[in-house]
Amino acid sequence: MKHTKEQIIARAKEIMKDLDGKYYFEECVDGAFYDENHKIISGKNEGKSYSMWVIRIIALMDNSDFLTISDETGEPLYYQNFNTFVFDIEKDEKGYFRVGLPRD
């Protein structure tokens, strides 16, 4: 394990500020757990295995979304919303964004 839970939660908050923009709130990041060898089942990393962190995100109407972050790089792998839609996460000059969703 390269990152501590505290480091990953801090990283998740940084990423969520980009992803949620003006709708971001500090308490949306609600815990994290480590998964040593997880095989990705969807998106650009499908079929690859990672040591990763899964962070629970409090979403609309108290639903739970999940942000996954690579333990190796500290970079996001994907975002899964409560409807089980999986979004790849990319980064550009404006910051992180969910692929396929409009940006603010």
Side-chain angles (χ1 to χ4, degrees):
M1 184 181 319
K2 289 191 171 193
H3 295 87
T4 66
K5 184 176 183 176
E6 292 76 20
Q7 289 171 324
I8 288 297
I9 287 174
R11 183 77 177 115
K13 288 179 180 182
E14 293 172 11
I15 294 165
M16 289 308 300
K17 283 179 189 174
D18 284 351
L19 294 181
D20 283 351
K22 63 184 177 184
Y23 301 107
Y24 169 79
F25 58 98
E26 190 78 16
E27 297 79 28
C28 74
V29 176
D30 186 41
F33 70 91
Y34 179 72
D35 188 348
E36 188 172 359
N37 191 23
H38 182 83
K39 188 172 185 178
I40 307 283
I41 60 169
S42 182
K44 69 180 180 186
N45 293 306
E46 182 176 1
K48 297 178 183 175
S49 293
Y50 289 92
S51 292
M52 66 182 198
W53 289 88
V54 179
I55 297 87
R56 179 176 177 253
I57 306 297
I58 299 171
L60 296 172
M61 313 273 284
D62 286 330
N63 289 306
S64 293
D65 291 356
F66 299 96
L67 171 65
T68 60
I69 298 175
S70 167
D71 185 53
E72 181 73 26
T73 64
E75 290 295 313
L77 296 170
Y78 65 89
Y79 187 94
Q80 181 177 343
N81 74 7
F82 61 91
N83 289 329
T84 67
F85 291 115
V86 175
F87 297 95
D88 287 328
I89 298 175
E90 299 288 335
K91 185 176 183 179
D92 64 12
E93 67 281 348
K94 295 180 185 177
Y96 292 100
F97 63 96
R98 290 180 202 104
V99 175
L101 288 182
R103 296 176 73 178
D104 291 338

